[in-house]
Amino acid sequence: MEKREYQWAWLMVLPVVLVVAFSAIMPLMTVVNYSLQDIFGPNSRFFVGTDWFTEVLRDPALQGALVRQFIFSTAVLLIQIPLGVGLALCMPKKGPWVSVSLVLLALPLLVPWNVVGTIWQVFARPDVGFAGVLLNSIGFDYNYTGDSLDAWLTVLVMDVWHWTSLVILLCYAGLQAIPDAFYQAARIDGASRWAVFRFIELPKLKGVLLIAVLLRFIFSFRIYAEPFVLTGGGPGNSTTFLSQSLATMAVGQFDLGPAAAFSLVYFLIILLFSYVFYLTILNMDREG
């Protein structure tokens, strides 16, 4: 009986599966087709095999963008994950301030990505922006439009402002799911606050933290709108990440073959890391 109900459940969701598969597979096959051809026009194309993949992987500009992307994503994780856990621990667990805190934390997540870039473009301007004027007034020679390090740090701080709330909300939900019996036992044993965090809260947050790391890695690895609006990828190529390099190649230069090959490499990198996180979560579930 259960097996028959299970089969009927699959039949009920089959139309949705087919629609999603069609909408995902068709564009993917088109990209694969473009990556194997040199396209001169609608009726003029030549098969080139894996030449575009070789060219893309040997391109110094794309290699530099890949290195900048990994450095940026690593910095994002190193800052936002500990900061999110710390702020989640400081949030109230009961009372009216819980709702207020949750609403305030959700506000940055509701701001569209291009609007985030515009906000920080004004906020960080060295002549009229609050942050830019403040930094220059206390002795820093800050100018994100002319200094590569300032531009990179501004993009990093902007991303921290925009997305740390997601980590906080995930961690807060994980903390709220811990039964009070664990805390009562810790109080009876006289455990310190650090011991409670190390032996109770942190182990219970492992699954949530893995999801937070996965989401933040994916989002940061495909970041586009915010740095594009804020710096345009400059000064030089200091804030030109993979997504902007891909957009420039596909839309700006209209090199469809190399752009298709590059997008597949981009997709496989994200897929590989996502699969690693997925296996890690499965192993944790089996151990738990």
Side-chain angles (χ1 to χ4, degrees), residues 156-201:
L156 179 62
V157 173
M158 175 180 62
D159 193 84
V160 170
W161 173 84
H162 191 195
W163 287 109
T164 302
S165 296
L166 176 63
V167 181
I168 298 173
L169 293 174
L170 288 172
C171 293
Y172 183 75
L175 290 171
Q176 291 292 87
I178 300 176
D180 290 334
F182 288 92
Y183 294 105
Q184 294 173 2
R187 283 194 294 269
I188 293 174
D189 293 339
S192 64
R193 184 65 188 86
W194 169 250
V196 171
F197 172 72
R198 181 181 177 184
F199 297 107
I200 296 178
E201 293 172 333

Side-chain angles (χ1 to χ4, degrees), residues 78-106:
L78 290 177
I79 294 174
Q80 293 185 19
I81 299 301
L83 182 61
V85 173
L87 292 177
L89 291 171
C90 296
M91 287 182 61
K93 294 186 177 181
K94 297 179 181 179
W97 287 106
V98 173
S99 300
V100 176
S101 301
L102 294 177
V103 170
L104 292 176
L105 285 172

